[in-house]
Amino acid sequence: MCNEINNSSNFIKNIIIEDLNSGKHDKIVTRFPPEPNGYLHIGHAKSIVLNSGLAKEFKGKFNLRFDDTNPIKEDTEYVESIKEDVKWLGGNWDEIFFASNYFDTMYEKALLLIKKGLAYVCDLNADEIRQYRGSLTEPGKESPYRNRTVEENLELFERMRQGEFKDGEKVLRAKIDMVSPNINMRDPIIYRIAHTEHHNTKDKWCIYPMYDFAHPIEDAIEGITHSICTLEFEDHRPLYDWVVRECEMESVPRQIEFARLNMTNTVMSKRKLKQLVDEKVVDGWDDPRMPTICGLRRRGYTKEAIRNFCTAIGVSKANSLVDSQMLEYFIREDLQTKAPAAMAVLRPLKLVITNYEEGKTEMLEIENHAKDETKGKRLVPFSRELYIEREDFMEVPVKKYFRLFPGNEVRLKGAYFVKCTEVIKDDKGEVVEIHCTYDKETKSGSGFTGRKVKGTIHWVDAKTAKKAEFRLFEPLILDDEEGNEGKNFLDQINPDSLNILEGFVEKTAIEDAKPEDKFQFIRNGFFTVDSKYTTTEKLVFNRVVSLKSSFKLMK
Ligand code: ATP
Ligand code: MG
């Protein structure tokens, strides 16, 4: 069984245990704070599993908070998809919040900073601010507007809010230290003008808080005790703490950074994923080749597999690149036990058993799971005309080919031995049909021991099998050893990432199949019923993953 792997210990847990033991907190509060500017991906899953898992383990609270302070890229479509994905993943939140509901408080806090002489309205444009900021080796230079009086700042900030200025004409900056070795502390912008409607607050505001100012306030308002974010924010922590302190927030959250998930053959950024959708490289955010939660789900991933993967990769302070085969390992593990076996032929070749009675159909008992007898058996129709895989026949066999070729005998899975007697070709010389004879004595389960065959192949009954489309996938992004960091990912798109085949699937197993149902099509892989293209007339299957891999999980 693929039970949830228990989180082993990690450095974040140790911090929490210390904070609980020392009495700093008696209950922890964590949150997952996505910006609703795209769909969630597998990297977000890592954060969801971590944050919700910690709250659960330590009997604390877990919030879902939309960090929706930038109206330009945000949309309610994304809000809805994020809720759906977090829910599906089992990241059960205690409360749901929108940062935009705190705009009033944030505005009050900005006024407080101005009154304390810790914020000022600056007229420098974006380029000038960048120039004045200095670099890692050079100190910054003070803005000529830095010493405006409190009254002047209050008046100008009010006029910013009233909409008197254009976007970019003025900003509000924290007055900290232009020569700080930490560039984030060199008078960062905390409010900017954007005459853009917000998905939640509509046209109430034309000034919006910047992330570094908004985020600590959001955390403090919600009483978040441990604010877990990715490593890029490590250098922002002094500013985070400055905001909490100077805004005189009652509750003091602690920011803790961990390494984000990076994976081979995968782009992991909403911006890039959106580009793939907008440029129609894929058929939407939920394309089965996408590393989005909804894409993985449509591909046939289960939430258990994703959660186990997220737990197994662990939490660390060092960036690394995870092999995408590791994710496949976990879905294989999960489906191995869950998905019933069935037979499907992806590239059909007609096989006629010339000595089998015409018009007759018999029902053969075939097990539903290769290794688990408790899954029982089903009755599969068998008759004179079948389909087998094209690759299970070779007119001129190569060395060590044990499947069908003229004169050779194989076992049809769960049925009889058949021997190839004739090959039928079309005008172009292509094999279109093969003729066989069968041996009645060799029925599976009959105890026949007369002779042995070296190959067993699967098949479907031509008369009753259902036509189906099979979608096979290869990685969407091709990369080398170093991964795709720093390269233009659009140049690395695999032109052969989708292969659509028309074939057949046995009637019995899929009779009541619904979207998202999963099967192990023997010898072909794990498949799921596609939720987008399947209709009452046509079944479409996505291959989740092949059956085998050379990948080994390091324990
Ligand atoms: P993207 O660049 O993909 O848009 P983001 O970090 O800007 O990612 P947010 O919506 O701001 O996306 O992220 C919400 C939460 O998910 C944050 O706490 C962030 O740290 C976490 N997160 C995002 N990407 C990853 C990742 N690859 N691995 C782990 N956590 C991640
Ligand atoms: Mg972001």
Side-chain angles (χ1 to χ4, degrees):
M1 278 296 289
C2 196
N3 290 320
E4 190 122 332
I5 296 171
N6 191 25
N7 309 26
S8 51
S9 95
N10 66 51
F11 74 98
I12 301 180
K13 268 193 199 180
N14 294 340
I15 294 174
I16 292 175
I17 292 169
E18 232 171 77
D19 287 348
L20 290 171
N21 287 346
S22 72
K24 182 177 177 193
H25 303 292
D26 30 82
K27 193 173 166 174
I28 66 157
V29 187
T30 62
R31 86 288 176 262
F32 172 63
E35 182 179 359
N37 61 352
Y39 283 61
L40 299 183
H41 51 62
I42 182 76
H44 294 113
K46 176 174 177 179
S47 176
I48 295 166
V49 169
L50 175 65
N51 280 292
S52 64
L54 289 169
K56 194 169 168 201
E57 186 174 349
F58 293 100
K59 301 197 170 43
K61 205 175 127 183
F62 167 67
N63 294 342
L64 171 61
R65 179 210 308 147
F66 288 96
D67 197 351
D68 57 347
T69 54
N70 174 4
I72 294 153
K73 294 180 189 152
E74 294 162 4
D75 200 281
T76 40
E77 176 196 345
Y78 302 137
V79 171
E80 292 313 312
S81 76
I82 290 171
K83 280 195 222 167
E84 162 98 17
D85 290 347
V86 176
K87 219 182 282 171
W88 178 74
L89 258 185
N92 306 321
W93 60 80
D94 292 292
E95 285 194 82
I96 189 165
F97 294 109
F98 289 83
S100 54
N101 289 339
Y102 311 144
F103 280 163
D104 286 317
T105 309
M106 292 174 189
Y107 177 73
E108 293 297 323
K109 295 296 176 185
L111 291 179
L112 174 67
L113 291 182
I114 295 175
K115 287 178 195 155
K116 290 167 81 172
L118 292 175
Y120 61 97
V121 173
C122 183
D123 298 5
L124 294 180
N125 64 34
D127 274 345
E128 290 164 334
I129 289 179
R130 207 170 304 126
Q131 281 166 25
Y132 273 69
R133 193 179 293 136
S135 66
L136 283 172
T137 50
E138 283 168 78
K141 223 168 53 184
E142 293 191 355
S143 158
Y145 306 98
R146 197 173 199 260
N147 294 315
R148 280 177 161 153
T149 62
V150 169
E151 289 65 38
E152 197 182 352
N153 281 320
L154 285 173
E155 188 211 316
L156 286 171
F157 190 49
E158 171 62 15
R159 288 173 60 196
M160 279 170 67
R161 188 175 73 93
Q162 295 291 346
E164 283 189 33
F165 307 113
K166 290 198 283 291
D167 292 9
E169 221 178 306
K170 287 189 171 26
V171 291
L172 184 71
R173 298 176 69 175
K175 189 171 178 175
I176 310 180
D177 181 4
M178 287 309 290
V179 297
S180 168
N182 184 336
I183 296 182
N184 295 300
M185 300 300 272
R186 295 183 190 169
D187 292 10
I189 299 171
I190 57 175
Y191 256 97
R192 66 185 170 135
I193 301 168
H195 291 275
T196 307
E197 200 178 278
H198 187 279
H199 77 96
N200 179 23
T201 56
K202 308 295 173 204
D203 60 0
K204 178 171 175 197
W205 299 91
C206 64
I207 53 169
Y208 292 95
M210 301 299 286
Y211 178 88
D212 280 334
F213 175 67
H215 206 82
I217 296 180
E218 295 160 23
D219 283 342
I221 291 174
E222 290 169 21
I224 302 300
T225 54
H226 299 84
S227 172
I228 301 167
C229 65
T230 44
L231 228 43
E232 319 85 88
F233 292 98
E234 196 164 20
D235 290 344
H236 297 237
R237 194 184 338 129
L239 178 54
Y240 182 99
D241 293 339
W242 184 94
V243 171
V244 172
R245 189 173 65 245
E246 297 303 346
C247 290
E248 300 170 17
M249 304 305 297
E250 236 170 82
S251 157
V252 178
R254 169 171 178 182
Q255 176 179 303
I256 304 169
E257 309 85 14
F258 74 105
R260 67 193 295 120
L261 169 65
N262 294 307
M263 217 159 60
T264 57
N265 299 101
T266 310
V267 287
M268 199 98 74
S269 133
K270 281 179 276 176
R271 183 181 59 79
K272 289 180 183 172
L273 295 173
K274 183 167 189 303
Q275 221 172 323
L276 293 172
V277 174
D278 290 345
E279 295 184 20
K280 302 211 167 9
V281 176
V282 293
D283 80 355
W285 287 95
D286 66 350
D287 186 293
R289 293 164 294 176
M290 291 280 269
T292 48
I293 312 261
C294 55
L296 289 167
R297 178 177 173 182
R298 200 174 136 207
R299 172 76 169 257
Y301 273 79
T302 59
K303 64 168 178 246
E304 291 81 7
I306 296 176
R307 295 181 67 95
N308 284 336
F309 166 76
C310 290
T311 307
I313 54 178
V315 184
S316 102
K317 270 276 186 194
N319 276 316
S320 66
L321 188 63
V322 173
D323 190 336
S324 53
Q325 289 190 67
M326 186 163 163
L327 182 57
E328 295 183 348
Y329 169 91
F330 282 98
I331 187 62
R332 222 175 255 124
E333 277 255 303
D334 195 33
L335 294 185
Q336 207 80 262
T337 55
K338 289 181 181 165
M343 293 195 285
V345 170
L346 274 47
R347 299 172 181 85
L349 173 64
K350 176 80 79 63
L351 182 153
V352 181
I353 305 171
T354 51
N355 62 342
Y356 195 90
E357 199 181 314
E358 282 197 50
K360 174 180 167 182
T361 294
E362 64 181 303
M363 301 303 282
L364 301 174
E365 270 200 336
I366 299 186
E367 68 272 12
N368 288 329
H369 197 281
K371 293 184 190 120
D372 183 0
E373 278 181 22
T374 64
K375 294 274 195 310
K377 292 182 173 179
R378 67 189 183 286
L379 290 171
V380 183
F382 180 90
S383 63
R384 185 181 151 93
E385 297 197 359
L386 311 170
Y387 290 110
I388 61 164
E389 297 287 350
R390 269 191 178 270
E391 63 177 41
D392 283 339
F393 173 79
M394 274 188 112
E395 194 176 11
V396 184
V398 292
K399 230 176 149 184
K400 293 202 173 155
Y401 188 84
F402 299 123
R403 292 170 270 169
L404 263 185
F405 53 86
N408 192 41
E409 193 173 44
V410 296
R411 172 172 290 290
L412 292 175
K413 168 84 185 161
Y416 301 94
F417 286 5
V418 287
K419 184 183 210 161
C420 176
T421 52
E422 198 184 352
V423 181
I424 317 290
K425 297 182 186 175
D426 64 10
D427 306 342
K428 290 180 228 122
E430 269 222 34
V431 177
V432 289
E433 194 172 297
I434 52 173
H435 288 182
C436 291
T437 53
Y438 88 119
D439 179 353
K440 220 158 87 185
E441 305 303 315
T442 60
K443 188 169 177 176
S444 279
S446 68
F448 175 79
T449 53
R451 62 187 183 280
K452 286 205 165 95
V453 287
K454 280 195 171 150
T456 298
I457 64 174
H458 64 275
W459 52 274
V460 295
D461 173 51
K463 199 162 53 192
T464 55
K466 291 264 190 268
K467 249 197 163 139
E469 182 178 299
F470 302 93
R471 297 177 157 237
L472 310 189
F473 309 101
E474 294 293 331
L476 183 60
I477 305 289
L478 297 169
D479 57 25
D480 45 39
E481 300 275 289
E482 294 90 52
N484 45 44
E485 204 69 22
K487 293 177 198 145
N488 182 358
F489 74 103
L490 290 177
D491 295 339
Q492 290 178 278
I493 289 171
N494 179 2
D496 302 314
S497 60
L498 172 63
N499 187 6
I500 301 180
L501 302 171
E502 294 278 344
F504 297 93
V505 56
E506 62 160 271
K507 171 173 171 272
T508 323
I510 50 95
E511 214 129 44
D512 307 311
K514 305 176 299 302
E516 295 194 18
D517 279 358
K518 287 146 186 91
F519 298 94
Q520 175 173 172
F521 290 149
I522 58 173
R523 299 173 67 224
N524 277 319
F526 292 105
F527 286 75
T528 192
V529 181
D530 186 73
S531 51
K532 195 160 177 175
Y533 295 130
T534 295
T535 61
T536 40
E537 280 84 53
K538 187 176 173 195
L539 269 168
V540 177
F541 289 97
N542 295 325
R543 179 152 77 183
V544 192
V545 71
S546 60
L547 294 176
K548 288 201 179 85
S549 150
S550 55
F551 179 80
K552 293 261 182 322
L553 187 68
M554 309 256 270
K555 303 233 174 168

